[in-house]
Amino acid sequence: MPFLGQDWRSPGWRWVKTEDGWKRCESFSPTLEDGNNQLNDISHTVILTGDDENEEVYNTEDCEFAAKKRKKDHFRNNTDSQCFYREKWIYVHKESTKERHGYCTLGEAFNRLDFSSAIQDIRRFNYVVKLLQLIAKSQLTSLSGAAQKNYFNILDKIVQKVMEDQYNPRLIKDLLQDLSSTLCILIRGVGKSVLVGNINIWICRLETILLWQQQLKNLQMNKQVNNGLTLSDLPLHMLNNILYRFSDGWDIITLGQVTPTLYMLSEDRQLWKKLCQYHFAEKQFCRHLIPSEKGHIDWKLMYFALQKYYPIKEQYGDTLHFCRHCSILFWKDTGHPCTASDPNTCLMPVSPQHFIDLFKF
């Protein structure tokens, strides 16, 4: 029997007529269907316990109830950490229309855009971490229960990737610090805030975060044995060009700790001046001039002082894109069903903050 769903163009759910009325057909994985068949078989049998004197005979209704509960538990245990969808894009709509009922939420977009795979791509890793950090600061309670579970599963994968690859642990440390601070506030004021799930679940999550922080604190960087050309073997002008391509002051300081030569290059006043000019407007750093002992402007201190007052520009290897023609949010390499004559002219890169703003109503 066809049934019109929320979108009238779709065939809707499939329904079958039973003795108890019409019931919706739900499709499960083959493995789960085999398990359900076994559970159905159990529901038609009589279950006996242990000794003959204390036998308990369960009627068919009790068996069916127990079987349904086992089905539900089996389905939960066999559900992947990420909600996977065939399409890797999502239509962003903020009001109901004839074609679409309701509106798109932040949690729905977070589940649909497959961030679990995105963190495996080095071009998208920083982007996803920054997005999770922004959600931790202000949008955690706006996520649905499924999206919150998905959030922590992705966070677990990020921590494990950092522990294995030692890739940019500073970013994930900042994320965990912001997340733990937010959870402490929410758990203390649980009566005044919206937390999906039992409070004990959130306490366990907070304990897990503290464990992750301790693991990252004890993280030892593996020394790679390489008999070939190393970074220190490059000429000075090439090392200098590498430093000038960094957009984060902390990355420059970290690289400067590798060798004395890199430290000398990382302290160059002109390098920090270019960095200030890239991130901040002239009016901004003119208000916070910090002279050194020799009377020159200390551009390194200027950078970190300005960072406290003004946001810095963000650079990512790859970002989500938004199609202004279709109102669809997607990863560029996966594409989307665009109807524009020239789709490339309609694309707009979406920063992590812009992603959050898209779902504010």
Side-chain angles (χ1 to χ4, degrees), residues 124-131 316 318-320 350-352:
R124 300 174 181 172
F125 182 84
N126 293 358
Y127 181 88
V128 176
V129 172
K130 181 63 176 180
L131 178 58
Y316 302 101
D318 190 17
T319 67
L320 287 169
V350 177
S351 67

Side-chain angles (χ1 to χ4, degrees), residues 102-329:
Y103 55 87
C104 181
T105 63
L106 176 64
E108 185 180 357
F110 191 80
N111 286 336
R112 288 283 296 273
L113 292 170
D114 194 12
F115 289 102
S116 289
S117 300
I119 61 175
Q120 305 302 326
D121 190 334
I122 193 172
R123 301 171 302 163
R124 300 174 181 172
F125 182 84
N126 293 358
Y127 181 88
V128 176
V129 172
K130 181 63 176 180
L131 178 58
L132 264 63
Q133 187 174 14
L134 292 177
I135 292 176
K137 288 181 178 180
S138 60
Q139 301 296 320
L140 188 61
T141 55
S142 67
L143 299 179
S144 64
Q148 288 176 355
K149 181 179 179 181
N150 190 20
Y151 179 95
F152 283 94
N153 286 329
I154 294 174
L155 185 59
D156 183 27
K157 292 181 180 181
I158 291 177
V159 173
Q160 300 307 319
K161 179 177 176 60
V162 173
M163 295 295 295
E164 293 174 3
D165 302 342
Q166 291 88 41
Y167 176 74
N168 212 341
R170 179 174 57 84
L171 282 180
I172 189 62
K173 286 180 181 179
D174 294 341
L175 166 59
L176 293 178
Q177 180 61 40
D178 292 335
L179 183 58
S180 61
S181 300
T182 300
L183 286 186
C184 286
I185 296 173
L186 293 177
I187 290 174
R188 290 172 185 171
V190 64
K192 301 179 181 179
S193 62
V194 180
L195 283 174
V196 180
N198 190 287
I199 186 63
N200 294 324
I201 296 176
W202 290 94
I203 294 176
C204 291
R205 286 173 175 172
L206 181 58
E207 292 175 350
T208 302
I209 292 171
L210 297 177
L211 176 62
W212 286 339
Q213 289 178 314
Q214 187 63 35
Q215 290 175 347
L216 291 172
K217 184 178 180 181
N218 300 330
L219 179 64
Q220 299 292 330
M221 307 300 287
N222 296 331
K223 292 184 178 180
Q224 297 183 356
V225 179
N226 190 354
N227 298 325
L229 187 67
T230 63
L231 185 65
S232 303
D233 298 325
L234 296 177
L236 287 179
H237 71 277
M238 294 185 67
L239 294 175
N240 202 39
N241 287 335
I242 292 174
L243 285 169
Y244 269 83
R245 294 181 182 276
F246 280 66
S247 60
D248 192 322
W250 284 110
D251 291 337
I252 295 176
I253 292 178
T254 302
L255 185 60
Q257 296 173 350
V258 177
T259 63
T261 302
L262 288 171
Y263 175 78
M264 176 192 67
L265 295 174
S266 66
E267 293 294 317
D268 182 26
R269 289 180 59 252
Q270 192 65 23
L271 170 66
W272 290 98
K273 180 180 179 180
K274 291 289 185 182
L275 195 62
C276 288
Q277 292 174 340
Y278 172 75
H279 287 288
F280 311 107
E282 186 175 354
K283 293 181 180 180
Q284 293 174 338
F285 58 75
C286 284
R287 297 174 186 173
H288 303 274
L289 293 177
I290 303 177
S292 62
E293 297 178 355
K294 298 181 180 179
H296 302 295
I297 298 176
D298 193 330
W299 292 104
K300 182 178 179 180
L301 291 179
M302 276 274 294
Y303 170 80
F304 290 104
L306 293 171
Q307 198 177 29
K308 297 178 181 179
Y309 298 100
Y310 309 105
I312 62 175
K313 293 182 180 179
E314 298 176 355
Q315 284 187 339
Y316 302 101
D318 190 17
T319 67
L320 287 169
H321 281 70
F322 181 74
C323 180
R324 293 187 293 267
H325 178 78
C326 306
S327 296
I328 287 179
L329 192 64

